[in-house]
Amino acid sequence: MTRKWIVGNWKMNGSLSANQDLLHAIHAGLSTASCQAAVCVPAPYLAQVQQQLLGSALWWGAQDVSAHEQGAFTGEVSAAMLRDFGVRVAIVGHSERRQYHGETDALVATKAQRALAAGITPIVCVGETLAEREAGQTQAVVKRQLAAVIHTNGHCISEIVVAYEPVWAIGTGKTASPEQAQEVHALLRAQLAAATDHPERIPLLYGGSMNAANAASLLAQLDIDGGLIGGASLKAADFLSIVAAASQ
Ligand code: PGA
């Protein structure tokens, strides 16, 4: 893995005017970046973002995708609809969706499948809660979460991106240490190696309070190929600092 990935997760933040300013500032500062940068925005803003970023090196994506192809699923957004708006990547199985929307490992695996079928790269999130870490279950939890995705998507598993996001580090200001993150990333890489001949092609992102100050040390780890950035992706200067750290 040579080119690193920096993906912003705006979560449920933004407005037409705020997005315009943020994208303008990011786009303006991105010219020298040699990493793959993307922003995952709320679905209603995809048209705006597509219009503003057309032709830009910055990709845009979604934060979720329906497990269904089409039909009577009120409120859902299908992978094909996302594709209509130029979406290249979609986060699936973010811990906030697992926690607040009851998303299971099997559902997340199906969402990844729908994305892949539409030509969208799923960014599959895995990660343990604080209670699970303290109970020594970190490895078992992330292995179980990834195993479901491998089981359903085995033949095209090298097309996915994986994000390790310890739940206790998300939005808390508590980052996993580079060593803690690397330990889990190495485990995920080994698990992927059993499923594909080219595990090194699958970007493994770290997420959870990654910011301008800690990005370089996390990104220096052997198996950390990029970052999934929440809070710090809402400020252009912070996001661009992380992009710069990933472009070294
Ligand atoms: P954070 O969020 O960077 O604000 O911790 C990361 C994420 O939830 O993807």
Side-chain angles (χ1 to χ4, degrees):
M1 170 66 43
T2 47
R3 198 168 152 87
K4 295 210 186 292
W5 285 56
I6 298 298
V7 180
N9 174 12
W10 289 4
K11 308 195 179 186
M12 200 171 72
N13 294 292
S15 66
L16 285 173
S17 65
N19 301 347
Q20 188 174 3
D21 293 349
L22 181 56
L23 291 172
H24 182 77
I26 293 174
H27 181 61
L30 206 65
S31 55
T32 56
S34 60
C35 71
Q36 180 57 62
V39 286
C40 292
V41 308
Y45 296 127
L46 283 170
Q48 176 198 18
V49 174
Q50 180 184 34
Q51 198 178 27
Q52 204 173 330
L53 293 183
L54 215 60
S56 159
L58 183 62
W59 288 359
W60 57 96
Q63 298 171 12
D64 185 29
V65 59
S66 178
H68 304 283
E69 224 172 317
Q70 62 164 36
F73 301 101
T74 302
E76 294 277 278
V77 177
S78 74
M81 293 171 186
L82 297 176
R83 195 61 217 165
D84 268 348
F85 288 90
V87 160
R88 306 280 288 261
V89 293
I91 298 169
V92 299
H94 190 280
S95 64
E96 286 151 16
R97 296 213 58 89
R98 292 180 190 262
Q99 198 177 341
Y100 307 140
H101 301 272
E103 294 197 2
T104 62
D105 296 339
L107 183 79
V108 172
T110 305
K111 289 185 169 197
Q113 189 178 36
R114 290 284 177 226
L116 286 165
I120 294 170
T121 300
I123 300 175
V124 177
C125 298
V126 300
E128 80 289 1
T129 63
L130 185 59
E132 287 164 342
R133 175 162 279 267
E134 286 175 350
Q137 294 168 351
T138 299
Q139 298 202 355
V141 169
V142 299
K143 276 179 105 167
R144 188 201 73 220
Q145 292 171 331
L146 184 58
V149 177
I150 293 172
H151 177 74
T152 306
N153 299 278
H155 55 293
C156 42
I157 202 67
S158 61
E159 307 298 317
I160 73 167
V161 171
V162 178
Y164 169 54
E165 297 206 305
V167 179
W168 48 271
I170 294 177
T172 58
K174 280 189 210 150
T175 320
S177 69
E179 296 73 25
Q180 281 175 320
Q182 167 58 27
E183 193 183 355
V184 177
H185 280 233
L187 181 90
L188 295 172
R189 186 86 73 199
Q191 191 177 358
L192 290 164
T196 168
D197 290 341
H198 295 288
E200 76 286 353
R201 285 193 195 153
I202 303 175
L204 301 183
L205 317 186
Y206 169 79
S209 299
M210 196 190 255
N211 57 38
N214 61 28
S217 59
L218 286 158
L219 294 168
Q221 298 298 310
L222 182 66
D223 291 299
I224 301 187
D225 305 316
L228 182 55
I229 323 295
S233 72
L234 298 171
K235 292 187 191 132
D238 289 6
F239 189 67
L240 287 169
S241 296
I242 300 171
V243 166
S247 302
Q248 298 297 312

